[in-house]
């Protein structure tokens, strides 16, 4: 095979390999309402709709991953720790949690300390922020 043919074949192979390794653009179908909303938001922010859509998708993915991490941490809690978290998120004090669950205030403190450690937060307020989207209202009737 002549030199130039081999060189050309090698270049074709490199280009094909490069094309496979590069991310290919993807399309997402939006319904009319979502598309209209995206265009309106982009116009208000003076951005291109595609640019805004990519930014929103990145934020949504990051948020989903953070919430998934919280769900996984929740699964590591004991049932009693879950009860304590629910009551903390419903703004119960340690004394109220103690009365509600029929355990000592010191036990509530221990569970709270363990939960804060597992979620890697400093205090109850930070824990509430992590669990902000969780609805614990149905737990009210459980205890």
């Amino acid at each position: 095979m002549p030199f130039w043919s081999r060189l050309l074949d090698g270049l074709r192979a490199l280009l094909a390999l490069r094309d496979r390794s590069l991310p290919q653009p993807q399309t997402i179908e939006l319904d009319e309402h979502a598309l209209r909303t995206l265009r309106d938001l982009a116009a208000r922010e003076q951005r291109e709709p595609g640019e805004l859509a990519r930014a929103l998708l990145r934020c949504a993915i990051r948020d989903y991953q953070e919430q998934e991490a919280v769900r996984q941490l929740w699964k590591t809690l004991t049932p009693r720790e879950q009860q304590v978290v629910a009551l903390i998120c419903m703004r119960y004090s340690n004394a109220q949690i103690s009365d509600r669950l029929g355990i000592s205030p010191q036990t509530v403190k221990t569970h709270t300390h363990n939960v804060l450690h597992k979620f890697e937060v400093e205090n109850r307020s930070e824990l509430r922020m992590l669990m902000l989207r969780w609805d614990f209202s149905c737990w009210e009737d459980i205890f």
Side-chain angles (χ1 to χ4, degrees):
M1 182 183 287
F3 172 76
W4 295 110
S5 295
R6 287 188 315 224
L7 182 61
L8 189 56
D9 287 344
L11 287 173
R12 283 188 189 119
L14 280 173
L15 287 173
L17 180 63
R18 185 198 67 165
D19 289 344
R20 281 195 303 264
S21 65
L22 292 175
Q24 298 299 314
Q26 301 292 315
T27 59
I28 298 173
E29 291 184 31
L30 299 175
D31 61 39
E32 285 301 316
H33 175 71
L35 187 57
R36 193 173 29 252
T37 302
L38 178 62
R39 286 180 179 148
D40 291 346
L41 288 171
R44 264 187 272 162
E45 293 189 19
Q46 299 177 348
R47 296 170 76 177
E48 289 296 318
E51 174 193 348
L52 181 60
R54 286 187 295 278
L56 290 171
L57 187 56
R58 279 192 303 273
C59 288
I61 289 170
R62 186 175 50 247
D63 184 57
Y64 179 85
Q65 290 170 330
E66 289 170 1
Q67 286 301 309
E68 183 58 27
V70 170
R71 280 189 289 279
Q72 293 305 316
L73 285 171
W74 175 263
K75 291 178 183 178
T76 69
L77 301 180
T78 66
R80 184 60 93 188
E81 287 172 337
Q82 290 178 352
Q83 293 169 341
V84 170
V85 169
L87 292 170
I88 287 172
C89 289
M90 290 187 288
R91 301 200 171 273
Y92 280 72
S93 68
N94 280 358
Q96 292 169 318
I97 294 171
S98 172
D99 290 342
R100 192 89 180 199
L101 298 179
I103 58 178
S104 75
Q106 186 56 47
T107 302
V108 173
K109 284 183 182 180
T110 300
H111 285 310
T112 301
H113 172 77
N114 292 341
V115 165
L116 295 178
H117 178 73
K118 287 180 181 182
F119 279 92
E120 297 180 357
V121 294
E122 295 291 320
N123 53 51
R124 295 160 70 107
S125 295
E126 288 182 25
L127 178 63
R128 281 190 208 101
M129 289 301 296
L130 276 180
M131 309 301 288
L132 192 60
R133 294 187 181 157
W134 291 50
D135 181 10
F136 290 106
S137 59
C138 65
W139 289 64
E140 191 83 48
D141 300 330
I142 294 175
F143 313 117

